[in-house]
Amino acid sequence: MARPFIRPTIAAFNRDAVPMAKAVRSTVPEVRGVYENLMEALRELRSCVFLCGQRVLSDDEIAQQACLPPTALAQTLPQIIERGLFARDDTGALFSTLLYDRQLRREEREARKAVADQHWQAVQQTGEVPPGLTRKQITARENGRKGGAPRKGETAEQRDARRARELAAEQAQRKMPLVGVVAGTHAQSNNPNQKPNSVSVIENSVISVPIDLELESDNTIPSSSNSADEPNNPATEKAEYTDAQAKELAARILTASGLGDDQVGFAISFARQYLGRGVCSDLIVRAVAAHKQKMADNGEFPRRVGVFKGPIERAIAGEEVAQLVTEAEPTAAPMLEWQKKAQAAYARSSTVFAAEMSACRDFGRLQRDWPEIAAQHGLPPVERTLAAYEAHFKPQSEQVAA
């Protein structure tokens, strides 16, 4: 059983005058140090007042309890009491105003909780609890009906009155008439299916119609234009591509990402989506390879094609250009066969590196042993960069010519 909290003997306590705990920062170091020793001593005593049974401790005994020299306590205690950090009760005992205020607030919370528990038990006994709802859900529903917690400085009655006014204003707004000016020159509809003379409109007339927004919100408003009669919008037209192009791009995405056959369908869907938007295939593959490299450097590896959607979109929007693409040219030259091999090997090296990193969790050792590991997986034992792989796969004739 927990010990009862020792309280001071005081008839009236002004809780509004209790300073904040951080107010002690404005004191000099000597006062702050004595204050901290006094608070620590009270916490060890599980009390907010310096009492020993019914005996009021003297200042010398308080100094001994707080491990302070009596002279230090005598010099700083008047300043501590003046700032409201400590006070003396009706019996002359020294107590902490902050700890006493915390204890009072703790008791108020426990009292409110006890009342709520009794109310909940009574509701359960009467069978008024809706089935399938927890106590927390029911309490939230009741608080919602009341309009939430009262605002600062607002009583429960004022909150209820304010909530009633807000509901009345909402109802009045829903029934508010809509006033519109309809010009005769714009009243004619472009819909060829519309019956002629179905609506009589007077030029520059004002129409006032009361509409219940709650009822009208369920109605479907038909479009005033016929999509079949709309001219072709170049911005919405899809680029043409073949199934072979989509499958080739999907294979390059899987190779650059290091994913398996279970993601083939998603890769094809990605390829069709971006090819239909007219996005360059090389840009997509470079974005996938760059993001895969970032994940590998962090010891991570992708599990789904969807993780590359964000990097691809950023690459399309022109973000992270320095990391994803080289300088753009008006007409990009097609990739050579050795370049495709270099990118495929580089992408596979990222997958191998990520798997080895997950297994050993030692980046330094993995860097040292990488040439041997790369050779075991059929990869060239070169530095794990795209430039190194391109230099390895580049034909000797082109290197000499360069």
Side-chain angles (χ1 to χ4, degrees):
M1 182 176 180
R3 289 183 53 189
F5 197 86
I6 303 176
R7 305 155 57 94
T9 304
I10 185 171
F13 179 61
N14 184 12
R15 299 175 64 180
D16 295 335
V18 177
M20 298 293 293
K22 295 181 180 179
V24 72
R25 294 178 178 177
S26 61
T27 61
V28 296
E30 292 79 5
V31 174
R32 192 183 316 158
V34 172
Y35 170 78
E36 294 295 342
N37 280 33
L38 293 175
M39 294 291 287
E40 184 64 26
L42 288 176
R43 293 190 186 98
E44 292 175 352
L45 294 173
R46 188 172 169 75
S47 172
C48 64
V49 58
F50 284 103
L51 289 175
C52 184
Q54 300 297 324
R55 173 182 170 80
V56 176
L57 297 183
S58 63
D59 290 353
D60 292 342
E61 292 172 333
I62 293 174
Q64 185 176 3
Q65 185 70 37
C67 301
L68 291 170
T71 55
L73 180 62
Q75 293 174 359
T76 57
L77 186 57
Q79 301 180 45
I80 295 175
I81 295 177
E82 181 183 4
R83 293 177 180 268
L85 300 172
F86 272 78
R88 296 190 183 274
D89 64 0
D90 298 340
T91 62
L94 186 68
F95 72 96
S96 169
T97 56
L98 179 63
L99 294 180
Y100 185 41
D101 179 63
R102 289 179 180 174
Q103 176 62 20
L104 294 178
R105 285 190 279 116
R106 187 180 301 110
E107 294 174 355
E108 291 172 354
R109 288 195 301 270
E110 293 175 354
R112 289 194 300 268
K113 185 177 182 301
V115 173
D117 292 341
Q118 293 178 359
H119 175 69
W120 176 251
Q121 293 176 0
V123 169
Q124 286 182 316
Q125 293 175 359
T126 56
E128 297 178 358
V129 180
L133 294 180
T134 63
R135 176 179 176 181
K136 185 176 181 180
Q137 293 172 334
I138 296 174
T139 304
R141 178 180 294 183
E142 293 177 354
N143 292 336
R145 292 195 187 103
K146 296 178 182 178
R151 296 176 179 175
K152 186 175 182 180
E154 185 181 47
T155 62
E157 292 78 9
Q158 293 174 344
R159 178 206 52 197
D160 296 339
R162 172 178 55 81
R163 181 58 177 165
R165 292 193 302 269
E166 292 174 353
L167 291 176
E170 291 176 2
Q171 294 293 337
Q173 187 176 10
R174 292 193 183 102
K175 302 294 182 180
M176 183 177 62
L178 300 180
V179 179
V181 179
V182 182
T185 57
H186 300 284
Q188 297 179 357
S189 173
N190 295 327
N191 190 348
N193 297 327
Q194 184 177 357
K195 296 180 180 180
N197 300 327
S198 59
V199 179
S200 178
V201 181
I202 302 176
E203 186 173 359
N204 297 330
S205 62
V206 178
I207 301 176
S208 176
V209 182
I211 299 176
D212 192 340
L213 298 183
E214 291 181 338
L215 298 178
E216 293 295 330
S217 61
D218 296 332
N219 297 333
T220 302
I221 302 176
S223 174
S224 60
S225 61
N226 191 353
S227 60
D229 297 335
E230 290 181 356
N232 292 331
N233 188 358
T236 60
E237 290 183 352
K238 292 186 177 180
E240 296 182 358
Y241 64 93
T242 63
D243 289 339
Q245 292 175 337
K247 292 179 181 178
E248 180 184 1
L249 177 57
R252 294 178 62 187
I253 291 175
L254 291 177
T255 302
S257 62
L259 294 171
D261 296 338
D262 58 330
Q263 295 293 308
V264 170
F266 298 102
I268 294 177
S269 177
F270 258 53
R272 290 174 177 171
Q273 174 187 351
Y274 290 114
L275 288 177
R277 291 167 55 181
V279 182
C280 177
S281 301
D282 295 339
L283 175 64
I284 298 173
V285 175
R286 283 197 295 267
V288 172
H291 190 67
K292 175 64 169 57
Q293 182 61 38
K294 290 181 181 179
M295 298 180 68
D297 292 341
N298 295 329
E300 303 173 350
F301 55 92
R303 299 179 183 273
R304 297 181 297 274
V305 177
V307 299
F308 299 101
K309 183 175 182 180
I312 294 175
E313 293 294 340
R314 288 193 295 270
I316 296 172
E319 299 178 8
E320 300 181 357
V321 178
Q323 293 80 11
L324 302 180
V325 295
T326 57
E327 270 195 55
E329 297 180 357
T331 56
M335 291 184 63
L336 301 177
E337 189 64 27
W338 66 267
Q339 291 178 325
K340 295 180 180 179
K341 293 181 180 179
Q343 288 196 2
Y346 175 67
R348 195 155 63 89
S349 70
S350 300
T351 304
V352 173
F353 187 86
E356 294 292 334
M357 185 65 188
S358 301
C360 70
R361 296 292 180 181
D362 190 342
F363 183 81
R365 184 168 65 86
L366 185 58
Q367 287 284 79
R368 293 190 301 268
D369 299 342
W370 174 247
E372 181 180 352
I373 296 174
Q376 294 174 359
H377 290 81
L379 295 171
V382 297
E383 186 181 359
R384 199 169 49 86
T385 62
L386 182 58
Y389 275 80
E390 289 181 345
H392 176 80
F393 285 95
K394 189 174 182 180
Q396 294 293 331
S397 58
E398 295 188 15
Q399 293 182 3
V400 173

